[in-house]
Amino acid sequence: METNPTETAARLDATKVVHAVCSHDCPDSCGVLVTVDQLTGRAVKVQGDPSHPVTRGFLCGKVAKYLERVYSPDRLLYPMRRKKGVPKGPAGYGGVRGREADAFERISWDEALGEIAARLTKISAEFGPESVLPYSYAGTIGQLGYGSMDRRFFHRMGASQLARTICAEAGGVALKSVYGVKLGTVPQDFAHAGLVIAWGANIHGNNVHLWPFIEEARRRGARLVVIDPYKTRTAALADEHLAINPGTDAALALGLMHVILSMGLEDREYIAACTTGFEELKAHALRPEYSPESVAKATAIEAGTIVRLARAYAAAGRKNSVGPAVIRLNYGIQRSENGGTAARAVCMLPLLTGAWKYRGGGLQLSTSGSFKFNEDALQMPELMLASPLGRAARVVNMSQLGQALTSLGGDIKDGPRVKALFVYNSNPAAVAPNQNDVLHGMLREDLFTVVHEQFFTDTTDYADVLLPAPTFLEVKDVQGAYGHLFVQVNNRAIAPLGEARSNVAMFGELGRRMGFGEACFDDREDAMIDQALDTADPWLAGITREQLERVGHIPLQMPVNANGEVLPFSTAEWFRTPSGRGELTPVPVFAAPTESRANAAKGAYPLEFLPRKADNYMNSTFANIPLHQRMEARTAGVLEMHATDAASRKISTGDAVEVFNGRGSITLRALVNAQVSAGVVAARLDWNKLSADGVNVNALTSETLTDIGGGATFYSTLVEVRKGQAEIR
Ligand SMILES: Nc1nc2c(c(=O)[nH]1)N[C@H]1C(S)=C(S)[C@@H](COP(=O)(O)OP(=O)(O)OC[C@H]3O[C@@H](n4cnc5c(=O)[nH]c(N)nc54)[C@H](O)[C@@H]3O)O[C@H]1N2
Ligand SMILES: Nc1nc2c(c(=O)[nH]1)N[C@H]1C(S)=C(S)[C@@H](COP(=O)(O)OP(=O)(O)OC[C@H]3O[C@@H](n4cnc5c(=O)[nH]c(N)nc54)[C@H](O)[C@@H]3O)O[C@H]1N2
Ligand code: SF4
Ligand SMILES: [Mo]
């Protein structure tokens, strides 16, 4: 068919392109260009911003087809209330996907807010405001959506505070204990590295915008070494994969130090200028338990390999090398009982070799500390003093939600039993550890549960009242990043679908309904972006909303050296520790997790379990989208295991298997392959209601906390596997 040129031009004119930011919990925080048809108001295309130096014009497989999610027929579009007499849990609608709405009746926002305000007021009066527990994490990492009006609301009420530990607390506290700030190597500078170590980091799956820089370095001769107990797609693409025993990274880091220090390969000048505690660390690392032979036993990495890696690591950056050494450490390493110590030990390595001095050297765990938005202005913790409590409320650890919901106040110290749960930005029924206790708690009929969501998730199955939330295309926000150094504005591309309301608007209105008189509950997005940017921090100085609206992304104004390079920790000025230097004490001491094979002899569960993230989902997000399910089909409902463990249990690929421990049991289908070593089994996170027995991998994980920071220990989980009785679908 011929096209009419005038018509085409008119259609082009009818579209506009809006700068948005992907708000998913990902280090890359991509600049996204959304093409909107102005006649229909619909988004017709999303693409990576080509002018963003890290996004570089492409999006990951999850978000490249984002409109499938935004316009999914399964979106939750209206406020709803559980029908009278319908029990909580998937049983309420028969557990059939797509029928969730049957358990609820549609109500107006007015009714929903009225009911929530009345119930929270009553519960607060009867049991004390701390009986109300907010539960949120990183559904959006926009500054406003993640933590602003919601905090004002709960602070003013006197609700329990939530310690948001489920993801990054152990590693974050560890990084800060050594450097004083969450900051690291500039991602674009990875292109200049000569040796890249991906340590507990599935870069290709979870942080794909770092990949092109690593490829650039490799074209110049750099090597990529991956340290991961699972053969991720990053490991498959690497020059070398070291399949370390889970939870033994502190031993490996100390083993590398042992080699470096015993051979005198450290950078003494840098150590003298920029660190404190060196002699103590040296004496510790040189102990016989950190010799390559001892470390080989703990980690399952050969002594010769440890020596070779240590020498290559120390030599990188020196004369005649391809380039410096950089470690992409990720949070995989710290989801383990001693994960805080492990992260600290790894973080110390570049302080010994001075890798920070070179462009492309150093370490990156997170860059989030570079963005000092004015969080106090957004969250107003002082409102707790105006609450009926008149003091700071107790803190409940989100990684122990099961305990918080099932205990009678016992383990949640100093305060009442949880009587109301307000969930937003999170899907705890699927992502929180020790799931059987979590679900048991959420089933309580005396627990009033509100869920603000985009979809009918596993958590909405337990809600009394449901509120519709927008996607990032439908709200305005301002965002930093934890994997790059650009501030961005997320402009609203399309009107909220259905009756969705942003976190800011919803909590602001609810605050008014609760009778909170403070003017701050009337603030909305633009005013709050201004508040976020109103900071004395020199790196953000002068950056305004108007400027961001015009250009989309602006680099932080970081100090540069004589060559115009940003080299964090290359000199002592960069450290923000109490000593003003890189702190090498207290020395990290390796101990195997109690839930690990090293200690398994005492128990009935001999296998180490990796309850992994999916490459094409974002934790539990996207798990319900057919397109994404197709991309993840290979591991759907699958337990990956090594031939040795399969043979000794008479299990073959395709067999139904029961994976169990003292906390729970799940049914999966065996896939015997080489992704894991003998003694380790792996399965990925999925929605409970898409799993064979209505629970997922977190039925097996524990509420044990990390050694530092009180984080979750998903990757310290022992299980046993046996051939299942029944065939699964
Ligand atoms: N595609 C995709 N991208 C994501 C996410 C997702 O779910 N999917 N999640 C996002 C989130 S929430 C986060 S926090 C970030 C960060 O995510 P990462 O920290 O990179 O996340 P994980 O995949 O948990 O862990 C990385 C790797 O650590 C490995 N690992 C497990 N135990 C150990 C151990 O004891 N030692 C070592 N050396 N490695 C170990 C795992 O096998 C895994 O391959 O990624 C974000 N990006
Ligand atoms: N077994 C196992 N468990 C894990 C992990 C693992 O690797 N293995 N990883 C852990 C880690 S690192 C993390 S960070 C946590 C993540 O846990 P969560 O932060 O709960 O992450 P998601 O599963 O992505 O769920 C986020 C939810 O927020 C909703 N949402 C998105 N935007 C908005 C919004 O603007 N408003 C509202 N109200 N809702 C919104 C989404 O629809 C989605 O359902 O999971 C942890 N759990
Ligand atoms: S999930 Fe990460 S990689 Fe994908 S578009 Fe969002 S920020 Fe970029
Ligand atoms: Mo996370």
Side-chain angles (χ1 to χ4, degrees), residues 25-26 137-138 166-168 331 334-335 482 613 618-619 714:
D25 185 2
C26 169
Y137 200 63
I166 201 161
C167 169
Y331 290 109
Q334 48 96 71
R335 307 188 205 295
Y482 60 99
K613 300 180 195 306
M618 179 59 68
N619 301 305
F714 297 106

Side-chain angles (χ1 to χ4, degrees), residues 357-495:
K357 296 190 307 194
Y358 312 102
R359 185 171 188 193
L363 176 143
Q364 191 195 97
L365 172 59
S366 169
T367 58
S368 68
S370 323
F371 300 89
K372 290 216 185 135
F373 294 113
N374 192 342
E375 280 181 2
D376 281 351
L378 292 180
Q379 305 186 352
M380 304 181 68
E382 69 277 12
L383 285 173
M384 283 190 281
L385 302 178
S387 76
L389 273 183
R391 58 166 167 82
R394 71 161 172 207
V395 179
V396 174
N397 189 330
M398 74 183 302
S399 300
Q400 296 181 319
L401 180 63
Q403 280 182 35
L405 294 182
T406 54
S407 78
L408 288 161
D411 255 323
I412 338 177
K413 289 156 216 89
D414 325 314
R417 190 168 201 213
V418 175
K419 298 294 279 185
L421 179 69
F422 201 129
V423 182
Y424 57 104
N425 289 348
S426 184
N427 184 10
V431 304
N434 196 10
Q435 185 169 96
N436 286 318
D437 276 10
V438 171
L439 299 184
H440 189 65
M442 292 179 77
L443 269 175
R444 278 172 41 201
E445 288 298 333
D446 70 324
L447 179 74
F448 175 63
T449 302
V450 181
V451 182
H452 186 222
E453 247 303 347
Q454 300 163 343
F455 286 94
F456 289 99
T457 64
D458 288 329
T459 302
T460 60
D461 284 347
Y462 298 82
D464 292 289
V465 179
L466 280 180
L467 302 171
T471 66
F472 73 82
L473 268 58
E474 302 154 57
V475 289
K476 189 161 183 182
D477 211 325
V478 66
Q479 197 167 312
Y482 60 99
H484 66 65
L485 299 161
F486 294 86
V487 195
Q488 296 180 83
V489 70
N490 177 45
N491 292 297
R492 197 175 97 167
I494 58 173

Side-chain angles (χ1 to χ4, degrees), residues 17 133 195 340 387 405 480 534 654:
V17 175
L133 179 67
L195 172 64
S387 76
L405 294 182
D534 181 13

Side-chain angles (χ1 to χ4, degrees), residues 25-27 62 167 199-202 205-206 227-230 232 244 246-247 249 330-333 335 482 610 612-619 715:
D25 185 2
C26 169
K62 303 176 285 296
C167 169
W199 201 321
N202 179 11
N206 298 1
I227 302 172
D228 194 314
Y230 183 87
T232 58
I244 191 170
D249 302 272
N330 215 332
Y331 290 109
I333 192 186
R335 307 188 205 295
Y482 60 99
L610 296 175
R612 308 185 58 251
K613 300 180 195 306
D615 288 340
N616 299 293
Y617 302 162
M618 179 59 68
N619 301 305
Y715 297 152

